[in-house]
Amino acid sequence: MTTKDRNDITPDNSVDFVEQKLRDIFDVVPVSIQPLKGHVDQNFLVEIDNAKFVFKLKEMKEGIFIEEFKSQIRFMMFLNGNGFVTPTIIPTLNGQMYHQEGGIIHADFHDSNIILLSQPRHKDPKGKYGIIDYGETIASLFLFDVAITVSYFMMISTLDDFIERGACVLAGYLSKRSMSTGEKKAFFVCVCAAYCRELVLCNKDFHVQGRQNEYLMTSMATGWPQLKKLRTHPEEFHAVFEKVLDIGE
């Protein structure tokens, strides 16, 4: 985790992070990676099999949306097709002209939506589990999905250990997918937002239903005190989670 201001969303990723992304996105092992100067993005000179490329990292911040980025790519391709010299975009493994930190997310992934099967479908560990409830599924950032998931597993924990429990969930996630610097910086805010979303919806449903609901009562009973602790003592969250987030570097 870098020591930069949390509000600074300029990319600040390490060479190791870039190397891992090159493996994940392009399935290549670079010979060398050298940082280059950049303004609001981060650039690296990458050498692969005696060829050199520029690997660009850009945060999707306010005022810069994915459709605008697509327009930039289309414009470069148009100019290139008409004889002008422009950067050549190298497609990713899945044939895309860019890689973004988002896609289809479940948005409601918690213990009640994970089913342990009595008879596994196949030998792969994933065959032991089933996932249900796709009513919240949406195209969004992967960051939101993991923040929602972490918040849910924190809510079913006690006030004494909910931060550590959430960190364990994140550690498992990071064993399968690394997070960008921008995602790490926004993670705490997204977890708090996930708490707010769940608690506000639970409060609404509780009053609308006008009756005792064990599911709603459980979330509200643990969620509000935990959210208050996150608000009044955020340093406790950062002290635990930043150790875990460093794993993703």
Side-chain angles (χ1 to χ4, degrees):
M1 193 75 174
T2 65
T3 57
K4 294 181 66 176
D5 186 343
R6 297 181 195 281
N7 295 319
D8 181 4
I9 59 175
T10 302
D12 186 23
N13 296 294
S14 67
V15 169
D16 289 341
F17 176 86
V18 172
E19 181 176 356
Q20 185 60 52
K21 284 299 179 184
L22 289 169
R23 292 172 183 267
D24 295 342
I25 301 171
F26 299 100
D27 192 25
V28 296
V29 179
V31 176
S32 65
I33 302 175
Q34 299 178 27
L36 299 173
K37 292 182 179 180
H39 178 43
V40 294
D41 53 10
Q42 193 175 13
N43 303 296
F44 294 86
L45 179 62
V46 179
E47 183 178 353
I48 303 170
D49 296 332
N50 297 320
K52 294 183 178 181
F53 306 88
V54 173
F55 184 69
K56 181 181 291 290
L57 293 169
K58 194 176 188 71
E59 300 290 352
M60 292 293 105
K61 59 183 179 180
E62 183 179 358
I64 301 179
F65 302 98
I66 195 63
E67 289 302 321
E68 295 179 11
F69 189 62
K70 290 179 182 178
S71 297
Q72 296 173 15
I73 294 176
R74 287 194 292 266
F75 188 51
M76 284 190 292
M77 295 175 68
F78 169 78
L79 291 175
N80 188 266
N82 284 273
F84 292 92
V85 178
T86 64
T88 300
I89 307 298
I90 307 300
T92 64
L93 282 176
N94 60 9
Q96 298 295 314
M97 292 293 105
Y98 59 91
H99 174 76
Q100 65 184 103
E101 305 293 346
I104 303 299
I105 67 173
H106 187 278
D108 196 24
F109 194 70
H110 54 79
D111 61 314
S112 295
N113 286 337
I114 303 173
I115 307 300
L116 179 61
L117 304 178
S118 58
Q119 295 183 343
R121 297 287 181 86
H122 44 74
K123 294 182 179 180
D124 188 288
K126 293 188 290 292
K128 299 179 181 179
Y129 307 97
I131 301 173
I132 62 173
D133 197 350
Y134 296 87
E136 303 293 332
T137 301
I138 190 174
S140 189
L141 296 177
F142 297 140
L143 170 63
F144 295 159
D145 216 17
V146 67
I148 291 169
T149 301
V150 167
S151 71
Y152 276 138
F153 280 91
M154 290 169 71
M155 281 188 223
I156 62 174
S157 306
T158 68
L159 192 61
D160 294 327
D161 67 356
F162 77 107
I163 294 178
E164 288 75 12
R165 292 285 186 90
C168 289
V169 175
L170 180 61
Y173 179 84
L174 288 174
S175 70
K176 298 298 182 181
R177 176 185 175 268
S178 58
M179 294 173 68
S180 68
T181 300
E183 288 178 308
K184 293 177 181 181
K185 291 176 180 177
F187 184 70
F188 175 69
V189 173
C190 289
V191 169
C192 291
Y195 263 86
C196 292
R197 184 194 79 150
E198 175 67 9
L199 293 172
V200 168
L201 290 176
C202 283
N203 189 63
K204 175 190 72 77
D205 292 340
F206 177 77
H207 288 288
V208 168
Q209 293 179 12
R211 58 184 175 83
Q212 296 290 324
N213 183 307
E214 182 178 353
Y215 175 80
L216 300 179
M217 293 292 290
T218 299
S219 295
M220 290 192 293
T222 59
W224 287 116
Q226 291 175 1
L227 181 59
K228 181 179 180 180
K229 187 172 183 178
L230 293 176
R231 175 67 180 85
T232 56
H233 298 286
E235 70 281 357
E236 295 185 21
F237 179 95
H238 294 305
V240 174
F241 274 82
E242 287 184 359
K243 294 178 182 178
V244 178
L245 287 170
D246 282 341
I247 297 175
E249 285 288 350

